[in-house]
Amino acid sequence: MEQHDIIPVVSLLAVLMPLLSFVLCMFFVPKSISGKVAVSSIAVSFIASCFVFFKIWNAGNIHIQHHWFTLGQTSWDVGLLLNNLSALMILLVSGIAFLVHIYSLAYMKGDENIDRYWGYLSLFCSSMLGLVIADNLLLIYIFWELVGFSSYLLIGFWRTRDAAVQANKKAFIMNRLGDLGFLLALMILYSQFGTLDIEKLFGDGGLFHLSQFTSGEWIAPLGHISYVWLLVCGFGFVFGALAKSAQFPLHTWLPDAMEGPTAVSSLIHAATMVAAGVFLLVRVSPIFDSTVLITIAVIGIFTAFMASTIALVQNDIKRILAYSTISQLGFMMLAIGIGNNGAAIFHLATHAFFKCLLFLCAGSVIHEMHYAKNKLDADCDHQDIRNMGGLRKMMPLTFVTMVIAALALCGIPLTSGYLSKDAILISSFEWATTRSFAAKLIPYLAMLTSWLTTFYIARLIFKVFYGELRIQGDKTERLIHEAPRFMLMPQLFLAVCSAFFLFSVNPLSYENTWLLKVFPGSVALERIHSYHTVIPALLNLFAVLIIYFAYIQYARKEKAMFRENTWLYNFALNGWYFDEFYHQAIVRPVTYVSKFSFSIDRKVIDGLVDIVGKSGVLLSSIAGWLDRKLIDGFVNLAGRAAAGLGNFFRSFQSGRIQYYLAVMIFVVLTFFVLRYFSPAI
Amino acid sequence: MTPEQIIFYVFAALVIISALLAVVVKSLVRSIFLFFVTLFAVAGLFVLSLGDFVAVTQIIVYVGGVLVLMLFAFMLSSKELLNTLELVKTRYSAVQNIPAIVLSLALFFILVFALVKSNVNQLDWINGGNHLSVSDNTVQIIGINLMTNYLFPFEVASVFLMMALIGAAHLARKDKAE
Amino acid sequence: MIPLSNFMMLSAALFVIGLYAVLVKRNVIQLLIGIEFMINAALINFVAAGKSDKNYMGGQMTALFTIVIAAASVAVALAIILNVYKYYKSIDPDKLNKLRD
């Protein structure tokens, strides 16, 4: 077979192996070997994606289609599109998924519903892989929904816990809201172009590029509508991406999604699913015009800033990391907004590695703390960083890998994170040079956010790993030991990936990364040389200072820096009160309306049914009365009439001679009368 | 109004009134005595019809015989009979009478109707036949007829009377320790 | 002269009175009296009609014989009544109902 034909089959294999594992784990395979089934299927998937990546990267696109169904006049096809972006994503997703599967073998060991876990995890991997290689927007939408659904299943995995159930409901509903926007955009595109195929729309010479925008009209092969609809379409896609990637205003589900197992959080809510939003926006980026792009950038930077302020004062280790994810996704949105798709994808890739690593290390810490807590019978939250401390002596390897990931998050040189963050920041400065004053604020805000990021992650590291362990008990330190081997191995591997050498030979300049070379920026940005040196230097200098400051505060002083009862502290602690606001503005009216309609249903509709029932009873009692009185009355009457008649005739035979005599005379008289008065006789 | 008619109406009224009273009164004694009066009035009517011998015979036999017989039978019967006679219940008598009254009236009307229709007065043998006159000797005529035309019924009547005598005597005997 | 129809009407009335007595009275002797009334009514009829029969004296002869028969019947009837009283202990005709169905 020609190589050209094998590749689509192999990529299909990568998608379908986890699906097979889902079916097997959920329905057929016993719990003991479900883990092995899942891990082996994702391993096969990973190997297949490696093959696809090396064949496709910079070697031309492959686009295979197959007829799916026909509705009336239109026919829909299903197919795969393998270009640079899909190849990179497929490798990334399957790689990270494989590592998380290995980690889960140790983390979820002993859980009773382990077969469900592997099933759901496999379903998720299959849908995510399908999403990145789908060739038309309808297929992407289908996989988008499937990914959201698997996320719902996994967040609420421990379904007996009320917090988990509330969280997965919230995640699913917010995702659905975003999907409304996605659907709207799909409809507009379809009505204009008659197809949803990505290659046809956005490829070279694609239909979208052929459409003209003149004097407020959008002229396309199939339609002729006002220009406003282009904006609506763009905003629709943006809205969908906002929900999936947890940006303002649909970001509140992600911190609550931390109720799921940590392995799930690391895979879905750090590296892959939340990246789907960014992926979609990059896929359909030709649609966005300047208004939409500015909006994306503003939303991105605002979310980044907001999330990092909230992360400053959180105390649950996973929530800090969740808000950090939101913040970094904001950076990626900013990159898309300023037109540098390549930087966005680059940051997505590096973020996938170091954020996943951060979550896995956090998982190890939580795992050990939980174990220690159970042994001591202590009553404390094992995820609260205020209860931790000094763990670097007991979990050295975890400490080292987590520090490497934290450095990558801060953007310290020699890490991959430095390269991608610099790409975004520098290009944002370049973008802002030609624009208004308000636009110039954006890069400065990005720098501030970056320093805040450094602060909160340093706080986390120092509070968890330095100082003294705050849980009291006999020989507590001896209870906590290093994480199991299966948990350590992925962490080590990811730590290696977080370093610079995976991405670029030059650790200090991002322009040489092989990744970026493939994605040309959508808007050509003038390279201003000074920016490329001043900004990184400034950024990193301050970052180091901040780290030192945090070290002094948290590792040495053991005293809270921020007073805990100020208004600003509470504002940040409660997530800028977005949850409260949504609860009051949306949840409560909806609940009220549903209670109201329930009461109507009960009173009016059940009332009607009751009335019908009662009237039925009434009618039947009337019928019964009628039956008793009239019909039985007739029967009785007949009986009594017969009795009366009988009694009457019986009285003739009384034995009284005078009576007999009277009858005889009566008969004689009758005879006389008839004889005299009637001519007949 | 000739005296003849007046006498007729008086005797007729007497008959009717006494007969009515006889059937209305509850007490037996009174009805017997009213019967007595009726018989006398009937005898008077017989005389008016020029049947003097019959009238006398009526008085002798009926009044003197039948009535006296009834009186004696009533009076000389046992005490229980008398007592029973007095205790006649009057419970349903008012209602029971109505059919009888109706029947009687109906019969009366029919008889009168037949009477009127047949125009009895104009019958040949009544109008033109040989009438009895007042000066006739009815006894002689009766005697002659009795021995010639009506001999057979005369003899039979005597045998009949003997039968009745024997029968009544037998029926009314006193049973002695049967 | 009194027309025959007057006598006959009178006799009809007497006869009906006698019939009433027979139908209504609760005492058999009064029943007997009623029967006598009926006989007497017939007698009036006979005698009134016999006024026009000089040859045979039919009406008066019949009346004579009827008187005889009536007397005999009364005698026998009273004897029967005595016997009935011995058996039924009552002379109410309603009580004499052993002939019924």
Side-chain angles (χ1 to χ4, degrees):
Chain A
M1 251 192 299
E2 226 201 83
Q3 263 196 355
H4 201 79
D5 292 329
I6 294 185
I7 299 171
V9 171
V10 169
S11 55
L12 212 55
L13 183 72
V15 172
L16 291 178
M17 278 306 290
L19 191 64
L20 177 70
S21 153
F22 162 68
V23 169
L24 288 176
C25 286
M26 287 293 282
F27 302 117
F28 297 112
V29 161
K31 287 196 181 126
S32 48
I33 63 166
S34 56
K36 297 189 180 60
V37 168
V39 171
S40 42
S41 74
I42 198 70
V44 167
S45 196
F46 177 56
I47 294 171
S49 350
C50 285
F51 178 73
V52 167
F53 177 75
F54 284 118
K55 286 290 173 201
I56 292 288
W57 188 253
N58 269 341
N61 299 348
I62 293 185
H63 187 189
I64 307 279
Q65 273 186 324
H66 191 74
H67 177 70
W68 189 13
F69 62 88
T70 309
L71 272 181
Q73 300 283 344
T74 52
S75 77
W76 291 91
D77 299 329
V78 58
L80 21 111
L81 172 67
L82 298 167
N83 59 8
N84 287 334
L85 181 59
S86 12
L88 177 68
M89 290 299 291
I90 207 177
L91 181 67
L92 182 75
V93 169
S94 58
I96 302 243
F98 178 56
L99 291 171
V100 169
H101 271 74
I102 295 178
Y103 184 87
S104 303
L105 278 175
Y107 189 75
M108 298 295 288
K109 191 165 160 181
D111 193 296
E112 329 176 294
N113 294 310
I114 194 80
D115 56 344
R116 266 199 309 129
Y117 176 79
W118 289 121
Y120 293 158
L121 204 59
S122 310
L123 179 67
F124 170 79
C125 294
S126 165
S127 355
M128 189 72 203
L129 289 169
L131 192 146
V132 299
I133 65 169
D135 84 321
N136 64 23
L137 287 171
L138 182 66
L139 265 188
I140 288 188
Y141 184 70
I142 293 171
F143 283 116
W144 183 273
E145 293 284 354
L146 267 178
V147 165
F149 178 60
S150 328
S151 157
Y152 161 83
L153 288 172
L154 282 165
I155 294 173
F157 176 67
W158 289 311
R159 51 192 183 198
T160 50
R161 291 179 48 181
D162 183 54
V165 168
Q166 298 294 329
N168 76 357
K169 232 187 335 190
K170 189 174 185 177
F172 195 66
I173 291 174
M174 281 190 155
N175 263 302
R176 287 303 271 152
L177 272 180
D179 295 341
L180 282 177
F182 194 147
L183 203 55
L184 181 64
L186 282 188
M187 289 196 270
I188 294 174
L189 272 186
Y190 187 73
S191 73
Q192 283 290 86
F193 298 107
T195 174
L196 288 176
D197 190 313
I198 296 178
E199 183 93 350
K200 281 209 191 87
L201 283 175
F202 304 120
D204 298 326
L207 290 172
F208 188 79
H209 297 296
L210 289 178
S211 58
Q212 295 154 349
F213 309 97
T214 53
S215 57
E217 291 291 314
W218 181 12
I219 302 166
L222 257 77
H224 188 99
I225 52 179
S226 158
Y227 188 72
V228 139
W229 290 104
L230 181 67
L231 292 180
V232 171
C233 179
F235 280 124
F237 280 118
V238 167
F239 201 62
L242 290 185
K244 198 60 111 194
S245 299
Q247 300 295 295
F248 170 82
L250 299 170
H251 64 279
T252 49
W253 64 271
L254 191 54
D256 289 345
M258 297 295 119
E259 295 291 335
T262 312
V264 162
S265 303
S266 71
L267 177 61
I268 300 184
H269 304 127
T272 42
M273 189 180 92
V274 294
V278 175
F279 169 76
L280 177 74
L281 289 184
V282 170
R283 268 273 202 248
V284 299
S285 50
I287 289 185
F288 304 135
D289 82 326
S290 55
T291 322
V292 180
L293 286 176
I294 288 267
T295 317
I296 296 176
V298 167
I299 290 178
I301 193 58
F302 174 70
T303 312
F305 178 68
M306 174 188 76
S308 53
T309 56
I310 298 175
L312 283 176
V313 297
Q314 296 297 317
N315 290 319
D316 183 319
I317 194 174
K318 282 177 78 172
R319 283 181 93 95
I320 295 178
L321 294 177
Y323 281 109
S324 165
T325 309
I326 299 178
S327 179
Q328 296 302 306
L329 286 166
F331 269 108
M332 293 179 221
M333 290 288 175
L334 172 66
I336 296 180
I338 63 178
N340 198 344
N341 288 349
I345 297 292
F346 185 30
H347 196 61
L348 188 148
T350 57
H351 174 262
F353 286 119
F354 63 69
K355 193 45 72 63
C356 181
L357 176 57
L358 276 173
F359 267 107
L360 293 186
C361 297
S364 305
V365 166
I366 291 170
H367 189 255
E368 292 306 315
M369 289 292 291
H370 189 68
Y371 176 72
K373 181 181 106 162
N374 282 345
K375 281 282 179 171
L376 286 177
D377 258 338
D379 180 28
C380 62
D381 184 4
H382 53 275
Q383 289 182 309
D384 195 329
I385 59 175
R386 294 173 290 191
N387 292 334
M388 305 175 196
L391 288 177
R392 75 161 188 281
K393 294 176 236 149
M394 298 162 247
M395 304 172 72
L397 276 176
T398 309
F399 167 64
V400 165
T401 48
M402 197 155 191
V403 162
I404 294 178
L407 289 177
L409 180 59
C410 300
I412 301 294
L414 292 184
T415 58
S416 57
Y418 161 77
L419 294 168
S420 59
K421 191 176 269 194
D422 259 9
I424 298 178
L425 281 172
I426 293 173
S427 37
S428 72
F429 270 102
E430 285 171 358
W431 173 82
T433 47
T434 52
R435 297 197 190 239
S436 61
F437 175 70
K440 283 200 176 53
L441 275 182
I442 291 178
Y444 288 109
L445 204 57
M447 285 189 71
L448 180 64
T449 310
S450 174
W451 288 328
L452 288 176
T453 308
T454 315
F455 188 75
Y456 68 65
I457 200 67
R459 171 175 175 259
L460 182 116
I461 297 280
F462 291 131
K463 274 196 98 110
V464 169
F465 290 106
Y466 282 81
E468 295 296 322
L469 188 57
R470 292 181 197 85
I471 299 181
Q472 299 306 318
D474 286 333
K475 304 192 187 79
T476 325
E477 290 88 4
R478 281 223 269 164
L479 288 171
I480 302 178
H481 37 73
E482 190 54 79
R485 201 176 31 164
F486 276 153
M487 285 162 74
L488 273 182
M489 284 184 338
Q491 284 171 228
L492 287 171
F493 187 74
L494 284 172
V496 165
C497 293
S498 302
F500 71 94
F501 28 82
L502 191 63
F503 291 100
S504 160
V505 175
N506 183 345
L508 295 170
S509 165
Y510 71 90
E511 282 149 335
N512 291 328
T513 55
W514 50 269
L515 218 138
L516 271 184
K517 286 207 175 102
V518 188
F519 295 98
S522 320
V523 175
L525 294 170
E526 187 193 326
R527 186 184 195 274
I528 301 177
H529 191 79
S530 57
Y531 281 156
H532 282 250
T533 45
V534 168
I535 291 168
L538 202 63
L539 206 59
N540 293 316
L541 188 65
F542 268 103
V544 169
L545 284 176
I546 287 172
I547 293 174
Y548 184 68
F549 180 60
Y551 175 72
I552 302 277
Q553 276 299 317
Y554 290 111
R556 288 283 178 81
K557 272 201 188 159
E558 299 274 348
K559 201 170 63 170
M561 181 176 108
F562 303 113
R563 278 195 302 268
E564 292 205 348
N565 289 322
T566 57
W567 177 84
L568 209 59
Y569 182 82
N570 281 328
F571 188 64
L573 186 62
N574 289 315
W576 288 29
Y577 290 115
F578 273 117
D579 275 324
E580 260 307 301
F581 173 68
Y582 284 151
H583 184 73
Q584 296 292 335
I586 295 171
V587 174
R588 284 186 60 190
V590 169
T591 325
Y592 176 73
V593 166
S594 76
K595 282 201 180 102
F596 178 68
S597 35
F598 172 65
S599 78
I600 287 200
D601 177 53
R602 212 162 31 155
K603 290 190 189 118
V604 171
I605 296 173
D606 282 0
L608 279 175
V609 172
D610 274 348
I611 286 177
V612 169
K614 283 195 190 115
S615 60
V617 170
L618 184 68
L619 277 176
S620 72
S621 69
I622 288 178
W625 179 87
L626 277 178
D627 178 56
R628 253 202 330 274
K629 290 280 154 70
L630 285 181
I631 295 168
D632 285 358
F634 273 136
V635 173
N636 285 347
L637 190 68
R640 270 194 244 121
L645 208 59
N647 275 338
F648 174 69
F649 282 116
R650 196 165 132 258
S651 65
F652 287 163
Q653 304 290 336
S654 57
R656 296 180 0 236
I657 45 176
Q658 281 166 320
Y659 188 68
Y660 289 164
L661 186 59
V663 171
M664 279 192 271
I665 291 175
F666 176 71
V667 171
V668 169
L669 277 180
T670 312
F671 180 72
F672 277 146
V673 164
L674 287 176
R675 177 69 180 84
Y676 280 131
F677 296 116
S678 147
I681 301 174
Chain B
M1 286 293 257
T2 62
E4 197 179 353
Q5 280 179 325
I6 295 173
I7 294 174
F8 169 73
Y9 284 122
V10 166
F11 275 118
L14 207 59
V15 165
I16 299 294
I17 289 171
S18 62
L20 276 174
L21 284 174
V23 303
V24 163
V25 297
K26 297 273 188 306
S27 140
L28 181 58
V29 180
R30 292 196 189 166
S31 71
I32 288 178
F33 278 106
L34 284 165
F35 181 45
F36 175 75
V37 174
T38 311
L39 287 174
F40 265 107
V42 169
L45 282 174
F46 286 164
V47 170
L48 216 55
S49 296
L50 305 177
D52 46 352
F53 184 70
V54 179
V56 173
T57 308
Q58 157 110 337
I59 291 172
I60 293 171
V61 172
Y62 242 114
V63 177
V66 170
L67 200 74
V68 170
L69 175 65
M70 286 166 101
L71 272 173
F72 274 128
F74 161 66
M75 281 192 302
L76 294 177
S77 47
S78 54
K79 253 205 171 194
E80 289 84 23
L81 190 64
L82 273 172
N83 281 342
T84 330
L85 286 178
E86 295 301 326
L87 296 167
V88 172
K89 291 211 181 81
T90 60
R91 212 170 20 166
Y92 294 112
S93 25
V95 176
Q96 291 286 79
N97 290 351
I98 291 176
I101 291 176
V102 167
L103 272 175
S104 315
L105 282 175
L107 187 62
F108 180 65
F109 281 128
I110 284 177
L111 286 172
V112 167
F113 180 71
L115 204 62
V116 165
K117 204 143 179 238
S118 63
N119 221 351
V120 154
N121 284 334
Q122 310 307 328
L123 281 174
D124 287 339
W125 61 275
I126 294 198
N127 266 344
N130 33 352
H131 291 262
L132 275 172
S133 63
V134 179
S135 58
D136 278 341
N137 193 357
T138 50
V139 180
Q140 186 187 6
I141 300 171
I142 285 173
I144 290 169
N145 271 324
L146 205 60
M147 286 298 134
T148 51
N149 287 329
Y150 297 99
L151 183 64
F152 183 64
F154 179 67
E155 299 300 332
V156 168
S158 64
V159 172
F160 178 77
L161 278 172
M162 190 179 73
M163 269 174 22
L165 181 74
I166 294 171
H170 174 73
L171 276 175
R173 76 183 182 284
K174 234 188 181 124
D175 288 318
K176 283 198 180 149
E178 269 188 356
Chain C
M1 295 303 285
I2 314 288
L4 182 59
S5 55
N6 289 13
F7 279 106
M8 286 186 85
M9 264 195 269
L10 177 66
S11 119
L14 189 60
F15 182 83
V16 162
I17 289 170
L19 183 68
Y20 175 72
V22 168
L23 290 178
V24 161
K25 285 302 184 183
R26 284 270 162 273
N27 191 341
V28 292
I29 298 181
Q30 279 177 324
L31 222 75
L32 214 52
I33 290 176
I35 293 172
E36 294 306 311
F37 276 147
M38 288 199 271
I39 292 174
N40 275 310
L43 280 178
I44 295 177
N45 238 344
F46 274 126
V47 171
K51 199 163 77 162
S52 357
D53 185 12
K54 197 167 171 184
N55 289 341
Y56 292 100
M57 285 298 234
Q60 296 190 9
M61 295 307 296
T62 313
L64 280 173
F65 285 120
T66 308
I67 289 170
V68 166
I69 305 289
S73 75
V74 165
V76 173
L78 280 172
I80 292 174
I81 285 170
L82 275 172
N83 270 340
V84 160
Y85 176 73
K86 261 196 269 180
Y87 184 74
Y88 281 102
K89 303 288 181 281
S90 162
I91 51 169
D92 188 346
D94 276 347
K95 299 275 192 306
L96 315 174
N97 57 1
K98 285 299 195 288
L99 274 177
R100 71 166 171 184
D101 195 352

